[in-house]
Amino acid sequence: MSADPSRADGAGAVDWDALGIAPTGDAAALRAAYRARLREVGPDRDPEGFQRLRAAYEAALALPGPAAGSSAGSLGGSPGGSPGGSADAGAAARAAVAELDAHRAAGDPAGAIRALDAALDAHPPGSAAAEAIEDLVLAEVALTRALSPELFRHLVGRFDWRDAGGRAARADPERHAVLLDRLAAEDWLEALRRDAAAPGGGPDAPFAAALLAPHGRAGAMLPPGGPNGGPNGGLDAAGRARLRALLDALRGHGRFVLHRFDGATLALLREAAEGPPLLGDTRLDDGDAGASATGRRRWGWSFAVTTLGIVSAGAIARAFLNNRSDTAGTSGGAPGAAPDARTAVAAARARADLAIPTLSWVELSPAPGGILVDFAPLLARRAAITEIHYGTDAEEPGSVLSTPAEGVPLRFVAGPETSLVTVRVRFRDGTLSAVRRYPLRGAAGGPAGRSAGGSAGGAGKPPPATEGKAR
Amino acid sequence: MARRPGRAAAAPGRGPAAGGRGGAPAARPRSGPGSRRAAGRYRGGRRDRAGTEGHPLIIGIDLGTTNSLVAVWRDGVELVPNALGEVLTPSVVSLDRTGEIVVGAAARERLSTHPGMTAAAFKRHMGSARRIPLGERSFRAEELSSFVIRALRSDAEAYLGAPVEEAVITVPAYFSDAQRRATRQAGELAGLRVERVLNEPTAAALAYGLAEPAGDGPVLVFDLGGGTFDVSVLEMGDGIMEVRATAGDNFLGGEDFDDAVCAWFAGAAGIPLPDPLEPGASGQPLAARLRREAEAARRRLSGAVEAEMALPLPDGRTARATLTTDAFARIGEPLLERLRRPIARALSDSRIRPEALAHVVLAGGATRMPLVRREAARLFGRLPLQRLDPDEVVARGAAVQAGLKMRAAALAEVVLTDVAPYTLGVEVSEGQGDLPGRMLPVIERNTVIPASRVQTVSPSRDFQRAATVRVFQGEARLVRDNIALGEFDLPLAPRRREEQSIEVRFTYDVNGILEVSAKAEADGATRRIVIRHGPDAPSPEEAEERLAALAAIKLHPREAAANRLLLARGERLFEEALGPARAALGEAIGAFEAALAGQDPGTIEAAAARLAEALRRAAAEGPA
């Protein structure tokens, strides 16, 4: 809450004349002055004057001072009810949330819903007790991994959490943002299910169905042509584009819903959409094995790498979400189990490294069949990144992989006709880096330089917005 | 929830209303001078028929989903009676076989007999481009509303004995920008200037604030009308009323309880839920008939423990079920649950605890339901105030606002500030490309209005030739979950994006209507574009045409209102009646129509009395 940004010249620019009072930090005095002036410059009588008065009043309240910072003049309203009230509210909330959580952990979403509703209905809406319950649920239950979609949606509905400007968003913006991401993922998944089940079936229906298919059944769901064979080599361009779009969308929501998909299905569909992956075997320097690596063997390797990528994505997601010992998730790799402080420092250092223009993100070396492109420099700084995007002979890196687990290499051999490799990473905070270009012509060592194309730093917001309103 | 309009006994026998123009009203008005008056504190100043300080009088109109009212401020609030002597005029419009428009109680009767020519509850379509059919013609919701306003205007002019040119019209606080514009349009189509559009819960607070000057402290207004639910939290004291927060549900009202009862009845009586388009017993659509039954039963439950419902079916049987208060409580539960969220939001946004409220005020006809009153009492742990008639309180507030606009001396101490009900913003994107648009708020909800705010944004790519500014209202994070209000393109001089800044200014006036302007520095010059109209609004040429077309449609004359109601009720009961009562009714109707054609006042009066008697008998022997 602050003055009109277009008028904000910094603290001290309060129009005290408009308020008709000497500069003061006393909220009660400010309020009385405002109300006295209101009679002369009410909004119906003098809209311009009123806006000036209001701007002055809000600016004055926002000034640091003894009583400032209280909500813009609430006359009769006092936060919280009786003095001992908030302690009671806290204890009752704890008990209610504990009961809710017990049902949740026992896999009884209906019981959890009943418990929550009973606890909330016992209090007036907007009361301290109801808010205490909401805060606890947000902090301790809402982002748990083992939370059924049904219970999750009920919580969102009950607490009105879709509201980007509501209480939860104000009280805990970071958590709320993650919550909204989770909600978006759930909404997307539900839309996917609807698409797959729709009787007439839209153009996406078979792909949605394939994506949701249980282990081993995906291939049968794809439109004729088959994933690997067929006279035309598989899906047509449009089909591939659709499938790729779905997979991209899944990737976007990956940390919340990826574990509900079958790994083999995903690998199969990825290959159907993008063609055989370029990732190679570590034993490629063996001429025979490399040059004659059959499609099948490569597929097998890429399957393993992809699966590991998926599993580590899940591990990374768990680092974000609360980890519970009673969850049903599988435990994959180690990343994400590190204590927060160490991870944060390592991540920051890694990120700083990646920003150095002269530090190349790939290592290039000659290899049988072309040039070996190794992403080792990126992997060494895996603490800072969640995804690696790369592409060959394209300005936009089209292939996306989650950062593989420790010890898993990421490299491929670029054939002689390939002249450019582009790379981009997604940082832990969700932003995308700039695209780095590495021309391969005659490369026997470092990169030929980096390009400045693409968005700088992947700023999440419309850049240089002068934000007078801090949310 | 509608109070049954018109008492059959009172209306006939008077013939044409003796009020006419320039004289005192024939019947004693239910409210107004001589009935409840504003509290002593705000009296003063001499009574001035033509308005204060020579101002022509501004009327206040409550344009409700189910009922509408009109009121004025003349040294106090006065509610204006219609031609039938009632202050409530049903918000129903019907097209007569002569091509004239009927508004009010008579139209409501025609909802049963001529459903294809009659429209009700069109407030729910305000702000949309939807056309509602009346016979062979079709009308937009604001056009139908304008007929209602025309009728109210002539009632007011008859009551005051002077022309009326300006009105204050109320809207649900949660009405969107487009809905507010449509409401203003409706007034303009009726030939009135509408300089002020007022939020209904604020109006209710105004009415209470004047009636109960003592009692400072936060007040929560709980306004459940026929079609909408609004909650507003205000600070009131010393004549100063400040809205702190407002929230609501535009699709929750008394009509929804009726729908629920209809659905329950179908289940309980073992019949399929009647389709509004299917023919029913005696040619009446079954659905309309069921709705009347449901509404009547709901009202009976206000005073009784159970209400029997009966519905004659096409095959000759009669479906029956008995609605008990318990069953009704069960039916209403999901609807009552929906009340919680807006209340929680309004309290949370205003940072006021429910315990800290000084009063809870009920407004809107649906708060007559004991079920709703109990729920309100339960939610707040206290008995809510309902000292003013909940059907009338919004119109009273509109009259006070009209008085404020006229600078009535008695209201010099009163100041009212209101807030924006929704967050308003523009679409921005993250990074590049197809990432779904994010909402960047420019005016946050519950900002005190009028307000003007600026946000600076940049184009998403370098060297763009134009930037599209898309305006949205709503609270969701992504624009696709919010409501689009409009968009425009701002031409740019191609530059790198870091060097290009676009200033977007939102101005939200006191009526809650938005203007957006954007300017970009381009080689020293600025360009500015303003959105004034919503996406569904007609173009100025279209608006001119519609105005002309509407003005050509005639409303039935006021003077004939009582007779018209008599006939319409007669027609309805005739369709519903059976046996000898029906025959007698038919005869009486025929005689009355003949008398009207003859135009002899004496004959008309006598025939009207006979018809009224026949109606009473038919209603008493009705198919219950």
Side-chain angles (χ1 to χ4, degrees):
Chain A
M1 237 193 35
S2 59
D4 179 353
S6 71
R7 299 170 54 86
D9 335 312
V14 177
D15 187 355
W16 296 101
D17 282 339
L19 276 172
I21 189 178
T24 173
D26 180 3
L30 285 173
R31 178 149 179 75
Y34 168 69
R35 286 164 64 89
R37 287 287 293 153
L38 258 188
R39 291 215 159 82
E40 289 141 60
V41 284
D44 280 301
R45 295 194 175 124
D46 181 0
E48 304 268 331
F50 171 70
Q51 290 193 67
R52 275 197 300 277
L53 171 63
R54 187 76 205 170
Y57 179 52
E58 288 177 2
L61 277 179
L63 287 178
S70 59
S71 63
S74 89
L75 238 194
S78 56
S82 52
S86 51
D88 289 340
R94 257 180 208 296
V97 176
E99 193 190 335
L100 157 73
D101 208 33
H103 284 283
R104 176 203 64 80
D108 176 18
I113 289 173
R114 270 196 311 274
L116 177 71
D117 284 348
L120 282 177
D121 286 343
H123 303 289
S127 61
E131 286 185 358
I133 294 178
E134 179 179 358
D135 289 340
L136 270 182
V137 173
L138 179 61
E140 296 184 8
V141 181
L143 293 181
T144 312
R145 193 139 176 263
L147 185 63
S148 81
E150 182 195 345
L151 179 54
F152 179 68
R153 282 185 186 285
H154 184 81
L155 294 178
V156 168
R158 197 67 215 252
F159 294 120
D160 203 5
W161 279 340
R162 281 187 193 269
D163 180 3
R167 217 192 131 258
R170 287 195 298 263
D172 195 342
E174 280 177 16
R175 239 196 207 97
H176 189 253
V178 177
L179 187 93
L180 284 185
D181 285 342
R182 179 177 199 166
L183 184 59
E186 295 282 352
D187 285 343
W188 175 82
L189 188 53
E190 187 168 312
L192 191 72
R193 291 213 174 96
R194 269 201 311 269
D195 276 347
D204 273 338
F207 302 107
L211 201 50
L212 293 165
H215 185 92
R217 302 275 309 282
M221 303 249 181
L222 289 176
N228 288 325
N232 296 323
L235 300 171
D236 62 2
R240 271 209 295 276
R242 285 193 185 282
L243 188 51
R244 211 175 303 132
L246 276 185
L247 288 170
D248 282 345
L250 171 58
R251 212 173 354 250
H253 299 296
R255 51 189 170 143
F256 300 110
V257 295
L258 200 48
H259 60 282
R260 294 189 219 167
F261 290 82
D262 176 61
T265 301
L266 289 181
L268 181 81
L269 292 178
R270 180 161 305 168
E271 174 152 345
E274 297 171 6
L278 299 171
L279 298 162
D281 194 303
T282 40
R283 285 161 291 159
L284 268 181
D285 35 32
D286 177 321
D288 284 332
S292 66
T294 61
R296 196 166 178 283
R297 187 191 196 178
R298 280 217 227 131
W299 192 92
W301 238 115
S302 74
F303 166 64
V305 172
T306 313
T307 316
L308 280 170
I310 290 165
V311 168
S312 61
I316 289 165
R318 230 178 306 119
F320 228 116
L321 309 172
N322 293 335
N323 202 352
R324 306 287 228 174
S325 56
D326 51 355
T327 65
T330 58
S331 180
D340 284 8
R342 253 193 286 142
T343 317
V345 167
R349 193 174 298 141
R351 180 152 179 176
D353 283 351
L354 290 173
I356 300 172
T358 49
L359 186 139
S360 173
W361 287 2
V362 299
E363 281 169 6
L364 304 173
S365 53
I371 294 177
L372 179 68
V373 181
D374 192 332
F375 292 100
L378 285 183
L379 299 186
R381 290 158 186 95
R382 62 160 48 74
I385 56 183
T386 59
E387 287 174 357
I388 297 173
H389 304 198
Y390 71 91
T392 52
D393 289 333
E395 288 299 333
E396 278 285 317
S399 301
V400 177
L401 269 190
S402 304
T403 312
E406 290 256 19
V408 175
L410 195 63
R411 57 182 135 189
F412 67 95
V413 175
E417 64 293 338
T418 307
S419 59
L420 175 71
V421 171
T422 44
V423 192
R424 159 198 263 169
V425 297
R426 185 183 292 279
F427 297 116
R428 227 162 245 296
D429 63 7
T431 57
L432 284 174
S433 71
V435 174
R436 294 241 182 147
R437 305 169 77 247
Y438 298 107
L440 296 186
R441 278 274 156 270
R450 69 170 278 251
S451 148
S455 63
K461 280 212 56 195
T466 59
E467 282 198 296
K469 291 200 177 297
R471 287 188 56 102
Chain B
M1 175 175 141
R3 171 184 299 167
R4 185 176 288 287
R7 289 177 281 264
R14 278 200 292 129
R21 291 176 152 269
R28 186 116 183 97
R30 279 187 58 253
S31 336
S35 68
R36 280 183 235 119
R37 310 213 46 188
R41 178 171 172 173
Y42 295 105
R43 294 175 73 149
R46 57 179 179 76
R47 185 181 170 135
D48 183 356
R49 213 134 214 254
T52 35
E53 303 162 8
H55 240 279
L57 270 178
I58 304 177
I59 54 177
I61 294 178
D62 171 8
L63 196 61
T65 308
T66 310
N67 288 307
S68 297
L69 298 88
V70 56
V72 292
W73 174 276
R74 284 194 304 193
D75 192 32
V77 172
E78 294 174 25
L79 289 172
V80 170
N82 62 21
L84 301 168
E86 300 286 329
V87 291
L88 291 178
T89 300
S91 305
V92 187
V93 172
S94 188
L95 192 57
D96 203 341
R97 67 187 88 100
T98 63
E100 286 183 334
I101 290 280
V102 180
V103 171
R108 198 159 172 268
E109 299 287 345
R110 286 170 64 82
L111 202 50
S112 304
T113 55
H114 300 81
M117 311 280 281
T118 312
F122 35 84
K123 184 170 176 177
R124 283 213 160 142
H125 302 302
M126 292 287 265
S128 79
R130 181 157 166 173
R131 302 195 70 89
I132 295 123
L134 286 189
E136 279 167 8
R137 310 185 64 150
S138 66
F139 297 93
R140 292 170 65 113
E142 63 264 26
E143 293 170 341
L144 295 172
S145 299
S146 77
F147 294 136
V148 175
I149 295 176
R150 268 166 72 172
L152 294 173
R153 178 190 184 185
S154 42
D155 289 335
E157 288 177 340
Y159 177 74
L160 297 168
V164 167
E165 270 149 41
E166 190 177 335
V168 168
I169 307 184
T170 61
V171 290
Y174 232 42
F175 250 20
S176 71
D177 190 80
Q179 287 165 314
R180 285 163 198 269
R181 290 176 191 276
T183 303
R184 186 190 245 174
Q185 250 303 290
E188 288 168 1
L189 289 172
L192 292 171
R193 269 198 326 275
V194 182
E195 306 260 343
R196 189 74 162 84
V197 163
L198 177 66
N199 289 333
E200 281 158 21
T202 309
L206 260 182
Y208 264 100
L210 261 75
E212 319 252 341
D216 286 359
V219 167
L220 182 142
V221 176
F222 180 109
D223 179 1
L224 187 63
T228 56
F229 175 53
D230 280 321
V231 181
S232 284
V233 178
L234 300 93
E235 301 267 15
M236 317 225 309
D238 289 332
I240 296 182
M241 291 176 233
E242 299 175 83
V243 177
R244 297 292 307 284
T246 205
D249 187 336
N250 277 350
F251 298 99
L252 179 59
E255 312 257 334
D256 298 289
F257 285 85
D258 288 339
D259 287 342
V261 172
C262 289
W264 167 85
F265 179 82
I271 59 170
L273 186 60
D275 180 1
L277 302 172
E278 227 188 285
S282 344
Q284 266 182 10
L286 213 49
R289 186 87 186 262
L290 176 56
R291 240 171 169 273
R292 284 187 76 100
E293 275 292 302
E295 201 197 325
R298 178 163 68 83
R299 256 184 281 119
R300 285 205 294 280
L301 280 184
S302 296
V305 177
E306 55 181 48
E308 277 187 35
M309 294 174 61
L311 184 69
L313 297 171
D315 58 11
R317 296 179 297 144
T318 302
R320 293 178 193 277
T322 304
L323 182 64
T324 61
T325 40
D326 284 342
F328 187 56
R330 264 194 326 261
I331 294 170
E333 206 183 295
L335 293 168
L336 293 180
E337 265 171 31
R338 287 169 62 187
L339 296 172
R340 290 189 69 104
R341 184 190 296 189
I343 295 174
R345 190 185 272 195
L347 285 170
S348 157
D349 285 349
S350 64
R351 316 285 204 280
I352 291 176
R353 292 262 181 248
E355 309 86 65
L357 294 172
H359 297 294
V360 173
V361 166
L362 295 183
T367 57
R368 289 179 187 281
M369 280 191 274
L371 189 67
V372 172
R373 299 237 278 266
R374 262 202 311 275
E375 182 69 6
R378 196 185 69 79
L379 286 172
F380 298 105
R382 78 191 73 204
L383 280 179
L385 285 187
Q386 203 172 18
R387 266 169 248 173
L388 294 179
D389 188 319
D391 284 316
E392 298 174 4
V393 74
V394 168
R396 288 177 175 275
V400 174
Q401 177 65 60
L404 283 172
K405 252 201 131 240
M406 295 188 291
R407 311 280 169 107
L411 296 174
E413 299 279 292
V414 177
V415 184
L416 174 66
T417 67
D418 213 330
V419 299
Y422 292 101
T423 299
L424 299 160
V426 289
E427 178 182 5
V428 296
S429 56
E430 277 180 295
Q432 293 188 351
D434 311 320
L435 290 174
R438 286 247 170 162
M439 174 84 161
L440 174 67
V442 180
I443 294 185
E444 291 185 5
R445 70 171 186 252
N446 298 317
T447 300
V448 177
I449 57 178
S452 183
R453 297 278 188 274
V454 172
Q455 273 286 2
T456 309
V457 297
S458 313
S460 35
R461 289 177 211 271
D462 293 323
F463 303 115
Q464 282 181 215
R465 297 199 158 281
T468 306
V469 177
R470 288 196 187 92
V471 181
F472 289 85
Q473 90 178 25
E475 316 305 326
R477 187 170 69 164
L478 299 176
V479 295
R480 69 162 182 239
D481 299 322
N482 288 327
I483 298 176
L485 295 184
E487 64 181 62
F488 57 89
D489 285 337
L490 181 69
L492 300 171
R495 290 221 179 118
R496 305 192 75 81
R497 53 197 294 267
E498 300 85 47
E499 297 165 23
Q500 186 81 275
S501 79
I502 300 170
E503 203 182 78
V504 180
R505 175 177 287 276
F506 277 34
T507 302
Y508 204 71
D509 76 4
V510 75
N511 297 317
I513 292 182
L514 178 66
E515 267 192 22
V516 179
S517 73
K519 78 180 185 199
E521 303 291 319
D523 303 318
T526 65
R527 295 207 208 195
R528 190 186 288 260
I529 296 190
V530 176
I531 287 185
R532 274 193 224 279
H533 299 288
D536 277 332
S539 67
E541 304 80 44
E542 272 178 35
E544 281 294 315
E545 275 175 38
R546 282 167 53 213
L547 189 54
L550 277 186
I553 299 180
K554 293 192 183 313
L555 250 59
H556 265 247
R558 290 187 79 242
E559 298 75 33
N563 291 336
R564 203 166 52 244
L565 176 59
L566 208 49
L567 263 179
R569 179 159 296 148
E571 278 179 17
R572 176 180 63 86
L573 283 172
F574 182 73
E575 298 209 4
E576 293 177 12
L578 308 157
R582 192 179 209 236
L585 188 51
E587 239 182 67
I589 292 177
F592 187 54
E593 280 176 330
L596 284 174
Q599 300 195 349
D600 169 40
T603 325
I604 291 176
E605 229 177 284
R610 260 189 72 200
L611 181 51
E613 184 51 39
L615 284 175
R616 258 193 298 276
R617 255 184 282 128
E621 294 174 22

